[in-house]
């Protein structure tokens, strides 16, 4: 298994749409809470796998400070047909309760139960981190 994570973003769905609805390098990771603690607005976990061919099982999980589990995705079987194939994936999570806002949450990606990548993202309350 040699698949590589080409990109990964954890972003508020509304912010993603307002920023053009496509992945680009300046797209910032961010999940938005309407109150702290409380449920987050809908957000997306976007990623792309490349550089291998064959089948593997992908899953991801969200972790808080200290590695505490916040959410675990359902495993997904993937098949990359060629070494140049890019598998772009998108999952939406809605109404997930976060116990606190912080900038040190992580999305951890696994292939065949081996951790292969981590992406840090902030969870902010409405009005914080405004441009």
């Amino acid at each position: 298994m040699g698949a590589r994570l080409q990109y990964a973003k954890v972003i508020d769905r509304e912010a993603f749409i307002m920023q053009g609805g496509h992945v680009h390098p300046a797209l910032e990771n961010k999940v938005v809470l309407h109150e702290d603690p409380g449920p987050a607005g809908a957000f997306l976990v976007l990623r792309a796998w490349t550089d291998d061919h064959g089948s593997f099982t992908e899953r991801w999980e969200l972790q808080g400070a200290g590695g505490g589990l916040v959410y675990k995705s359902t495993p997904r079987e993937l098949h990359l047909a060629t070494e140049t194939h890019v598998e772009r994936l998108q999952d939406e999570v809605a109404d997930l309760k976060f116990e606190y806002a912080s900038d040190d949450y992580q999305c951890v990606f696994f292939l065949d139960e081996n951790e292969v990548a981590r992406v840090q993202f902030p969870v902010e309350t409405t009005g914080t981190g405004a441009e």
Side-chain angles (χ1 to χ4, degrees), residues 22-106:
H22 66 277
V23 176
H24 53 84
L27 189 64
E28 293 185 19
N29 294 323
K30 176 172 60 174
V31 171
V32 177
L33 300 179
H34 298 291
E35 50 187 64
D36 183 10
F43 63 93
L44 306 171
V45 178
L46 310 168
R47 65 256 185 231
W49 296 102
T50 188
D51 286 347
D52 196 0
H53 59 281
S55 297
F56 53 91
T57 302
E58 183 241 29
R59 73 173 181 86
W60 52 270
E61 60 187 44
L62 304 178
Q63 296 179 356
L69 183 65
V70 176
Y71 182 86
K72 189 174 182 178
S73 75
T74 301
R76 175 183 286 158
E77 291 294 320
L78 298 176
H79 181 74
L80 296 178
T82 67
E83 290 181 12
T84 59
H85 179 78
V86 177
E87 185 72 32
R88 289 175 179 82
L89 303 171
Q90 173 178 311
D91 290 318
E92 182 174 323
V93 179
D95 299 323
L96 180 63
K97 184 173 182 186
F98 286 85
E99 295 298 322
Y100 55 91
S102 177
D103 63 356
D104 62 356
Y105 283 90
Q106 294 191 33

Side-chain angles (χ1 to χ4, degrees), residues 104-120:
D104 62 356
Y105 283 90
Q106 294 191 33
C107 186
V108 184
F109 296 91
F110 298 87
L111 295 180
D112 293 333
E113 290 305 314
N114 296 305
E115 181 182 328
V116 295
R118 289 178 175 257
V119 173
Q120 189 164 328

